[in-house]
Amino acid sequence: MKLYQPMIACFVLACGPSGEDKSENGPGDSGSEACVDGNDCSAPTPVCSPTGLCVECGTSADCPDDRPVCGNGSCMASCAGDEVNADFVTLPSDIIWVVDQSGSMDQETQYVQQQINTFAGAIGSSMIDYRVVMIARDSGTNAICVPAPLAGASCGDNTRFKLVDQYVDSRNGPAVAVAQYPNYSSFLRLEAMKHFIFVTDDDSNQSAATFTNGLAALTPAGMFDNYKVHGIYGLAAGGGTCSGAFGSAVRDGDVYTQLISDTGGASGVICENDWTNVFTQIQA
């Protein structure tokens, strides 16, 4: 789950504050050095004028190829010639799981509980600084009790894990993610890439735009400037609703399809009893 952010420094050594031409008709006419061509002139007065004197440049057209930018009368190197690529920076990742716990999700919730440590371990092995939030009830029907080592004692919080003990029904996952934000906001990092993983066999009763706008309104500003939505949901590979070892989906999840498309996330099929492929996509 790496997000690489190239840090590019571009040093511009030209083009004074106003970028004005020194002369409307060509190079400036103040100079003292005699010249035959530009090779005879120094940096402060780089242009050999028709009168045989070295003068300041008036526009970039007066400058040679190796110093193509005219700024404050001098010819200087362009930004392109002085671009420096620094090391890539690996951003931390905050991963928010939102799991449907309705009656049709008994096999799927157990699968999440069984596999989440494998998922977190794979991310950790890549040296990513990650944190996991689980929005799901940890007791009752289709409860999810995240085991150690990711979670702490009795399915509770740990260094990299935060439980938001909230029931999620079949159609309100995105709404719950926004509404419960005050209960996990302190666990998130402003600079971290955010990853929402919705697991459901139904569609959201809230539009993709409502979810997106809801995130944008949360404070502090910028918390969700960088995020992706991933879904393990009911869309079949060829369209329509899926059917498989985990049963059939209720709806195909158009809202999740839109959110995944909008943010460049990964998608998996809820009806399948092996989600290794989508876990690998998210980790990558």
Side-chain angles (χ1 to χ4, degrees):
M1 187 166 299
K2 297 182 180 179
L3 177 68
Y4 291 112
Q5 198 172 49
M7 301 174 64
I8 299 177
C10 189
F11 302 100
V12 182
L13 306 175
C15 307
S18 65
E20 77 267 13
D21 289 350
K22 290 290 181 177
S23 168
E24 293 182 1
N25 297 315
D29 57 6
S30 60
S32 57
E33 297 178 87
C35 61
V36 175
D37 56 39
N39 294 326
D40 298 327
C41 299
S42 59
T45 52
V47 178
C48 184
S49 71
T51 59
L53 294 176
C54 294
V55 297
E56 294 178 343
C57 60
T59 69
S60 294
D62 300 326
C63 296
D65 291 341
D66 61 337
R67 291 175 295 149
V69 178
C70 177
N72 293 329
S74 298
C75 293
M76 302 179 183
S78 67
C79 175
D82 296 296
E83 186 175 288
V84 178
N85 289 314
D87 291 339
F88 285 95
V89 175
T90 304
L91 297 183
S93 291
D94 291 339
I95 307 155
I96 302 121
W97 285 79
V98 187
V99 184
D100 174 0
Q101 296 176 283
S102 61
S104 59
M105 289 285 291
D106 53 339
Q107 293 170 297
E108 293 87 345
T109 52
Q110 287 301 305
Y111 189 89
V112 170
Q113 182 171 296
Q114 293 165 8
Q115 296 297 320
I116 193 165
N117 270 293
T118 302
F119 172 78
I123 296 170
S125 67
S126 299
M127 305 304 292
I128 301 296
D129 179 8
Y130 72 93
R131 292 182 181 180
V132 174
V133 174
M134 173 62 71
I135 303 179
R137 184 176 58 189
D138 69 349
S139 61
T141 304
N142 290 336
I144 296 178
C145 175
V146 175
L150 180 59
S154 302
C155 319
D157 297 348
N158 206 347
T159 305
R160 294 188 181 274
F161 179 76
K162 173 72 175 175
L163 172 67
V164 178
D165 189 9
Q166 170 65 45
Y167 173 72
V168 181
D169 73 23
S170 63
R171 304 206 65 189
N172 70 349
V176 168
V178 174
Q180 289 296 315
Y181 174 70
N183 293 323
Y184 64 91
S185 59
S186 62
F187 194 64
L188 304 183
R189 284 119 0 133
L190 186 64
E191 74 279 10
M193 182 71 179
K194 312 302 187 301
H195 295 265
F196 289 93
I197 305 175
F198 292 100
V199 183
T200 181
D201 63 358
D202 209 333
D203 201 4
S204 170
N205 57 10
Q206 180 186 81
S207 70
T210 299
F211 176 70
T212 300
N213 293 336
L215 290 183
L218 297 174
T219 56
M223 180 62 81
F224 294 100
D225 280 355
N226 295 305
Y227 74 93
K228 289 181 181 291
V229 173
H230 313 283
I232 303 172
Y233 66 117
L235 181 64
T241 54
C242 66
S243 182
F246 280 170
S248 299
V250 178
R251 294 178 178 84
D252 57 14
D254 290 340
V255 171
Y256 299 108
T257 298
Q258 184 65 56
L259 289 169
I260 291 165
S261 175
D262 290 346
T263 63
S267 60
V269 181
I270 190 80
C271 304
E272 297 176 353
N273 60 352
D274 184 354
W275 302 343
T276 304
N277 183 51
V278 67
F279 284 173
T280 301
Q281 290 180 58
I282 296 169
Q283 291 159 15

